[in-house]
Amino acid sequence: MAQFQELAEVIRLHRKVAGLSRVQLAELAGVGKTVIYDIEKGKQAVQLDTLQKIFKVLNIKIVLTSPLLEDLQNRGNEKG
């Protein structure tokens, strides 16, 4: 649950700094206005493509990390 609340806070902060209302963000992202409300309240079931649309509007970049990704990158560097 903590991850979803943190995500909600990041989206809310970026939306407010951008000077957008929830309705404006929804319109720019092409999603329903209740989606923004639900996300900002920490709703746990959100489609990835919906989040990607919102992130694009708010200029939020997501970086994935994992030990497996690091191993794969290291193997690629050793071959190069």
Side-chain angles (χ1 to χ4, degrees):
M1 175 83 170
Q3 299 91 348
F4 294 103
Q5 195 58 42
E6 186 175 339
L7 178 62
E9 291 172 11
V10 168
I11 290 173
R12 185 181 314 107
L13 174 64
H14 280 76
R15 176 181 61 79
K16 288 183 175 186
V17 169
L20 297 172
S21 69
R22 289 180 178 135
V23 172
Q24 290 170 319
L25 175 56
E27 289 174 356
L28 289 170
V31 301
K33 63 184 176 190
T34 57
V35 171
I36 305 301
Y37 178 83
D38 287 346
I39 290 171
E40 289 188 2
K41 294 298 178 190
K43 182 177 180 182
Q44 295 184 24
V46 181
Q47 293 185 8
L48 181 58
D49 65 324
T50 300
L51 285 174
Q52 289 174 321
K53 291 174 185 178
I54 294 166
F55 293 159
K56 184 174 182 180
V57 170
L58 296 174
N59 198 29
I60 297 173
K61 305 287 186 247
I62 299 297
V63 178
L64 299 177
T65 61
S66 84
L68 296 177
L69 289 174
E70 292 172 14
D71 288 346
L72 182 62
Q73 290 172 342
N74 289 336
R75 279 189 243 146
N77 290 338
E78 290 172 2
K79 291 180 182 179

